[in-house]
Amino acid sequence: MSYLELIATSTFGLEAVVAEEVKDLGYKDIKVENGKVTFLGDWEALCRANLWLRVADRVRLKVGEFKAVTFEELFEQTKALPWPELIPGDAEFPVEGKSVKSGLFSVSDCQAIVKKAVVESMKKKYRSQWFEEKGPLYKIEVALLKDTAVLTLDTTGAGLHKRGYRELSSFAPLKETLAAALIKLSHWRADMILVDPFCGSGTIPIEAALIGQNVAPGMNREFVSESWPNIPRQVWRTARKETHDLAKFDQPLEIIGTDINEKVLGLARKNAFEAGVDQGIHFQKMSFNEFRSRKKYGKFICNPPYGERLGQLKEVESMYRELGKFLKEFDTWSYYILSSHPDFESLLGERATKRRKLYNGNIKVHYYQYYGPKPKKRKERSTEVGLHTGLK
């Protein structure tokens, strides 16, 4: 294949953030649709996208797209695609499927037909009537939307949110990809203090540290396509070397995570150590309203409790009111808060500068963004006092 059409899948509402990441990697011909960002590249692009994309869910290799309103059309057009150019004769190639608003609504039948069509296509090249499927994994997906079929190969394996640093977590942890998106949407920079006053097991502070030190999120994990023989090993080696060359491990950071639960803070410290960013983050047990700082400018980024459990809503609403009073003390800071409560702004006591509808798992949430004044130029800040958190 002269070029590859790659798809970075995305959580609803984050497509533009993923597209910006793809653009920052140097790739063009970007097409943004609901739940995905399509772009052109080569094998190197496939490797680099898996290693560097922080907000995408996974990277798929697009094999074909066509209209299919009958099973015969699905079979014949799938069979015509260049499967033997991509899948070796000993590969394992299971088929997964989904169908939305399509005449071919039986997912199990669609999977079976695609599997049969791929086998028929491969029989010609490999001159075999049977494939043992004991080799590298090439997972096929057939996705039908409004009678259009898109067939892809998964190049990632475990989702991109699996960075490799979080073996343990607190209850209902924030996904790493969503945490990275919250930071990117805040336009936080490594030379500014960042505080998460509800840090839990530390996902937001850790993702911020990885961003601040330009550490590729996939640096310490493996991907299913690393075992594909059609990707030269040197391509993966070069892509991985780039992640080490571009990392700024010595970049100083001012990231603070606080929580009232000592147990989850223990997890946060362990996760930060596993991610290699423990030196750039300070975790402390304290309530959000105990935090103090003499820094003139900074950013709060947090995912406080939603009160989804029965009996917790009143408690959470009271906490939001207290949070609003607390944030008024930091009137030159910016704050970014994720919440599912429909009256969040009223409870906080202030309308957001901007809000964005997102999903945290299956929960519809809004990302409330409150912009503080722009920091003064460095010369104007030269008389500011150093950091004082009020930590014991």
Side-chain angles (χ1 to χ4, degrees):
M1 301 177 77
S2 57
Y3 65 87
L4 306 175
E5 194 167 357
L6 300 171
I7 299 174
T9 62
S10 166
T11 300
F12 175 81
L14 296 177
E15 297 89 347
V17 184
V18 174
E20 191 64 29
E21 287 194 291
V22 171
K23 183 179 176 182
D24 288 344
L25 285 174
Y27 302 112
K28 301 178 181 178
D29 300 307
I30 298 170
K31 182 182 179 183
V32 181
E33 299 175 84
N34 286 338
K36 63 182 182 180
V37 176
T38 305
F39 61 102
L40 302 181
D42 52 13
W43 291 122
E44 181 187 64
L46 182 153
C47 302
R48 294 181 71 234
N50 274 299
L51 287 163
W52 284 100
L53 293 181
R54 299 180 189 277
V55 180
D57 292 328
R58 62 181 58 249
V59 179
R60 297 187 179 278
L61 170 56
K62 185 175 175 181
V63 184
E65 179 176 355
F66 50 80
K67 280 282 185 181
V69 295
T70 67
F71 287 132
E72 183 179 359
E73 287 179 333
L74 180 62
F75 176 83
E76 292 298 336
Q77 294 192 77
T78 298
K79 181 181 173 184
L81 295 174
W83 300 106
E85 294 180 30
L86 295 167
I87 302 178
D90 66 339
E92 180 185 358
F93 51 101
V95 179
E96 293 184 345
K98 57 185 179 181
S99 179
V100 180
K101 298 179 181 178
S102 292
L104 302 180
F105 57 84
S106 172
V107 173
S108 58
D109 285 337
C110 291
Q111 290 174 177
I113 287 164
V114 166
K115 179 74 173 186
K116 183 178 179 181
V118 174
V119 169
E120 289 300 314
S121 175
M122 292 178 67
K123 279 181 181 180
K124 295 180 180 179
K125 176 178 179 179
Y126 297 110
R127 298 181 181 179
S128 174
Q129 297 299 307
W130 177 257
F131 297 94
E132 290 190 87
E133 299 193 43
K134 293 183 178 180
L137 177 63
Y138 287 72
K139 187 180 289 185
I140 300 168
E141 182 188 73
V142 50
L144 288 140
L145 174 62
K146 297 179 181 178
D147 296 323
T148 295
V150 177
L151 286 100
T152 59
L153 291 169
D154 173 36
T155 76
T156 301
L160 289 176
H161 71 283
K162 297 284 189 179
R163 316 293 207 213
Y165 65 75
R166 190 167 73 178
E167 295 181 9
L168 302 170
S169 63
S170 59
F171 176 78
L174 189 70
K175 230 177 187 181
E176 294 87 337
T177 44
L178 180 54
L182 302 185
I183 297 154
K184 283 186 162 288
L185 288 168
S186 79
H187 300 291
W188 172 76
R189 303 186 314 272
D191 62 352
M192 178 174 282
I193 182 173
L194 183 151
V195 180
D196 179 359
F198 303 90
C199 71
S201 56
T203 309
I204 289 176
I206 292 169
E207 289 298 316
L210 293 174
I211 290 170
Q213 294 186 337
N214 200 39
V215 177
M219 178 186 283
N220 296 315
R221 59 157 288 179
E222 296 180 351
F223 302 94
V224 68
S225 50
E226 288 187 76
S227 65
W228 291 5
N230 36 349
I231 304 180
R233 290 187 180 276
Q234 186 57 43
V235 175
W236 270 110
R237 280 196 290 266
T238 299
R240 285 199 173 275
K241 183 178 183 300
E242 180 188 41
T243 66
H244 290 273
D245 291 344
L246 296 181
K248 301 175 182 177
F249 296 112
D250 295 329
Q251 170 68 47
L253 300 170
E254 291 184 281
I255 300 173
I256 297 171
T258 69
D259 203 281
I260 59 172
N261 188 326
E262 183 61 48
K263 185 176 180 180
V264 298
L265 286 172
L267 294 178
R269 295 184 185 101
K270 176 176 170 53
N271 291 338
F273 175 80
E274 293 296 330
V277 294
D278 52 309
Q279 296 301 310
I281 308 172
H282 179 78
F283 291 108
Q284 180 71 38
K285 181 183 177 182
M286 64 162 56
S287 174
F288 68 87
N289 50 19
E290 294 179 88
F291 177 80
R292 298 292 182 272
S293 175
R294 292 196 180 118
K295 285 286 184 181
K296 180 72 173 176
Y297 302 101
K299 290 183 188 286
F300 290 104
I301 304 177
C302 60
N303 176 43
Y306 300 162
E308 296 290 329
R309 283 183 170 182
L310 190 65
Q312 289 184 339
L313 188 57
K314 294 285 186 185
E315 183 181 336
V316 165
E317 289 177 345
S318 176
M319 181 267 291
Y320 285 159
R321 293 188 185 97
E322 288 300 313
L323 180 60
K325 295 175 184 176
F326 164 75
L327 291 172
K328 283 182 170 57
E329 300 175 26
F330 294 84
D331 57 350
T332 56
W333 284 44
S334 298
Y335 34 102
Y336 304 80
I337 307 168
L338 199 67
S339 177
S340 65
H341 200 297
D343 297 321
F344 174 81
E345 289 168 298
S346 175
L347 292 165
L348 198 75
E350 185 180 355
R351 287 188 64 82
T353 311
K354 186 176 182 180
R355 61 180 177 176
R356 193 184 196 104
K357 185 168 74 173
L358 300 172
Y359 282 87
N360 184 3
N362 294 323
I363 302 172
K364 185 172 78 172
V365 295
H366 279 90
Y367 191 37
Y368 297 94
Q369 303 167 63
Y370 295 84
Y371 301 161
K374 288 186 178 180
K376 296 177 182 178
K377 294 180 180 179
R378 189 172 298 276
K379 286 183 180 180
E380 296 176 274
R381 302 203 312 262
S382 60
T383 58
E384 284 189 16
V385 184
L387 172 66
H388 171 69
T389 62
L391 306 178
K392 296 178 181 178

